[in-house]
Amino acid sequence: MSAEQFRAYGKQVVDWIADYLAGIESYPVRAPVHPGDIRARLPSSAPEHGEPWDRIQADVDRVIMPGVTHWQHPGFFAYFPANASGPAILGELLSAGLGAQGMLWETGPACTELESVVVDWLAELLGLPAWWRTDGPGGGVIQDSASSAALVALVAALWRAGRVDAGRTACTVYVSAQTHSSMAKAARIAGVTTSNLRTVDVDPDTLAMRPEHLEELVAADVAAGAVPTMVCATIGTTSTTAIDPVGALGEVCRRHGVWLHVDAAYAGVAAVCPELRWINDGAAEYADSYVTDPHKWLLTNFDCSVLWVADREPLVEALSILPEYLRNPATDSGEVIDYRDWQVPLGRRFRALKLWMVMRWYGAEGLRSHVRRCVELAGELARLAGSDDGFTVYEHHPFGLVCFRPIWPGTAEAAADEATAELLRRLNDSGAVYLSHTTVAGRTVLRFAVGSPATGSEHVRAAWQRVVAEYRAMRPGVSG
Ligand SMILES: *Cc1c(COP(=O)(O)O)cnc(C)c1O
């Protein structure tokens, strides 16, 4: 592709994206396709001869778009958000344009140093401790996902526990039933056996991990000769945004020399608002590692997950292997960060560009107003649902997620849960909204997560009207 062709087609693509985002409400939120539909429209082999751009671009509309679920749609309330924004998209484009690969400082000085700066900026914006900054003993790094962050944090914890290669069969890791599955996956990958993954009880009302039970489990493991290695506390669980008592769990960790990893993948960025900083209580004092995902709720395209460590030494020592072909004077000087030593892969994308652009374009003020708007809209949904006696609303919704459950009087629990699942199917099949579900205390519950920058009060109210309409249609005896 010549420079002139790139210029022309590149402008077409940018126009296409601008039109897409401006007209996103014309699409059904969830792709109305069945497994195999998209594959069936594609040839089984790659073309032998190159094709003109216009044909390729036309196939994006014809073949790809019908199979896209529109995460930026204002009616997207499922899972957690995966925000995109103009400055982040442009940052991605620039990163691709540079074609940079920042495995070492030497192979990408700006890639490395900008990353250190933006993670330091973000630490400050979130009120995280100064010693987690890269100009302190700790440091931050952008990972592809909170899952990778959990894995490298665990590898660092195993290193600190002296379990470099062998001896991992003695190591135990502590989660709750509400902890994200990525921690169990990290344990599996890192060689912590499934039988050494301990499940700490949660408080039945708050779903927060119980420090007393953690203490019991750790003490029993120590007595049995095991090596308690990591506790994963969550700020904003995936199911219901429950918040573990980080400080009290951290006390147990400190007493027994256990690494405390704090998973704040979705909710951590909310601390950009001073009124929400309380969510991080205890993290500064006790966390050895902390992760939050700007790619979820901070206007930054996937992927962008920031991991901080309070002390970078165990992380870098655990992951640093220096073959001759990577040796260079900058690395030898010890004066630079080589981010390859902070992650699983060697190669790395220039992700800092998009986060830098997002932070500069919106400013701290713009980021705060995005989070606040989502929290307010979630509050509005909770009020609407709470004032309708057809629904039970879960009181805890400090962020953008509200959990609620329709009431099916005179119906046994299993059948009521099936009716709730049917209501969800009808809502999502409508194409107007997309919600997801979870289980709380064994009951099927609907999750309504406000997070798209395009979502306004009118979308939340329209979505609620649709929920009510489908519910009334399923309960014909009930008046609206
Ligand atoms: C979404 C989520 C994860 C996984 O995030 P990825 O960045 O997609 O790996 C982990 N923990 C929590 C609490 C989450 O909500």
Side-chain angles (χ1 to χ4, degrees):
M1 190 177 273
S2 69
E4 280 318 306
Q5 285 173 318
F6 180 79
R7 195 185 305 280
Y9 301 140
K11 286 177 179 166
Q12 276 179 30
V13 169
V14 169
D15 281 344
W16 186 97
I17 296 170
D19 289 342
Y20 165 67
L21 292 173
I24 198 165
E25 287 190 60
S26 65
Y27 293 93
V29 190
R30 192 180 64 174
V33 291
H34 297 104
D37 281 358
I38 305 305
R39 186 175 180 127
R41 297 186 198 185
L42 291 160
S44 55
S45 306
E48 173 66 21
H49 302 290
E51 299 180 57
W53 183 260
D54 292 341
R55 238 169 64 204
I56 304 170
Q57 179 72 44
D59 278 352
V60 171
D61 289 316
R62 192 180 62 83
V63 181
I64 304 301
M65 292 311 284
V68 171
T69 287
H70 302 280
W71 284 71
Q72 308 312 313
H73 195 295
F76 188 103
F77 303 109
Y79 308 103
F80 279 137
N83 282 175
S85 70
I89 296 167
L90 296 176
E92 280 284 15
L93 183 59
L94 278 169
S95 166
L98 293 172
Q101 209 279 50
M103 58 188 176
L104 303 166
W105 178 89
E106 164 109 357
T107 65
C111 178
T112 302
E113 294 187 17
L114 183 64
E115 182 156 331
S116 297
V117 167
V118 294
V119 297
D120 287 355
W121 281 9
L122 188 60
E124 190 175 286
L125 281 189
L126 301 182
L128 299 173
W131 62 91
W132 291 7
R133 294 168 52 111
T134 41
D135 50 14
V141 55
I142 305 179
Q143 305 270 334
D144 57 359
S145 65
S147 306
S148 295
L151 176 58
V152 297
L154 178 54
V155 170
L158 287 160
W159 183 275
R160 196 178 75 176
R163 306 290 152 149
V164 179
D165 301 308
R168 289 192 178 179
T169 47
C171 295
T172 47
V173 170
Y174 305 80
V175 296
S176 82
Q178 304 298 313
T179 306
H180 192 269
S181 56
S182 53
M183 199 65 233
K185 198 190 235 183
R188 228 191 253 183
I189 296 168
V192 172
T193 60
T194 307
S195 59
N196 281 1
L197 192 63
R198 303 275 180 265
T199 305
V200 183
D201 290 346
V202 295
D203 178 286
D205 295 322
T206 63
L207 301 180
M209 198 184 269
R210 289 185 48 232
E212 318 80 63
H213 190 225
L214 175 66
E215 173 64 44
E216 265 173 49
L217 289 176
V218 170
D221 282 331
V222 170
V227 181
T229 305
M230 176 185 269
V231 171
C232 178
T234 307
I235 296 174
T237 59
T238 312
S239 178
T240 63
T241 63
I243 299 171
D244 289 335
V246 173
L249 297 170
E251 273 296 327
V252 179
C253 290
R254 183 160 293 172
R255 261 200 301 285
H256 296 278
V258 185
W259 183 292
L260 179 64
H261 176 63
V262 175
D263 178 358
Y266 161 70
V269 298
V272 72
C273 302
E275 70 274 21
L276 283 166
R277 293 254 162 94
W278 60 268
I279 65 172
N280 284 327
D281 282 353
E285 293 84 342
Y286 297 104
D288 293 291
S289 51
Y290 179 105
V291 65
T292 189
D293 287 350
H295 70 226
K296 276 186 170 159
W297 196 15
L298 207 66
L299 300 165
T300 308
N301 288 58
F302 188 85
D303 54 353
C304 185
S305 177
V306 180
L307 171 72
W308 287 278
V309 285
D311 174 9
R312 64 171 169 257
E313 213 173 272
L315 176 66
V316 172
E317 284 181 357
L319 295 177
S320 176
I321 297 170
L322 185 61
E324 183 55 33
Y325 49 79
L326 291 179
R327 291 198 60 169
N328 66 86
T331 297
D332 288 345
S333 76
E335 283 171 20
V336 298
I337 284 182
D338 289 326
Y339 273 123
R340 71 183 186 106
D341 297 332
W342 298 54
Q343 62 175 20
V344 174
L346 171 62
R348 61 201 323 274
R349 293 158 29 68
F350 198 162
R351 298 189 191 93
L353 267 179
K354 61 187 169 189
L355 185 53
W356 187 49
M357 287 175 179
V358 164
M359 291 167 93
R360 292 187 62 184
W361 175 263
Y362 292 102
E365 183 182 70
L367 301 176
R368 277 182 215 118
S369 73
H370 169 61
V371 168
R372 280 187 187 131
R373 205 179 44 79
C374 295
V375 172
E376 275 165 26
L377 291 176
E380 184 173 357
L381 189 276
R383 279 192 299 279
L384 288 168
S387 60
D388 188 318
D389 55 17
F391 298 85
T392 297
V393 184
Y394 291 77
E395 255 171 57
H396 173 88
H397 53 82
F399 309 112
L401 175 74
V402 180
C403 296
F404 63 91
R405 183 162 63 78
I407 297 166
W408 309 99
T411 313
E413 284 191 1
D417 286 345
E418 179 42 44
T420 301
E422 172 61 19
L423 173 62
L424 180 63
R425 275 193 291 277
R426 291 184 187 201
L427 287 167
N428 292 346
D429 285 348
S430 78
V433 294
Y434 186 16
L435 277 64
S436 58
H437 77 284
T438 187
T439 53
V440 176
R443 302 304 308 274
T444 300
V445 168
L446 300 182
R447 294 172 75 268
F448 191 108
V450 184
S452 167
T455 303
S457 177
E458 67 278 21
H459 300 103
V460 168
R461 279 182 277 120
W464 181 249
Q465 275 163 17
R466 190 167 284 275
V467 171
V468 171
E470 294 287 358
Y471 172 68
R472 302 280 183 240
M474 287 177 68
R475 272 191 69 191
V478 179
S479 61

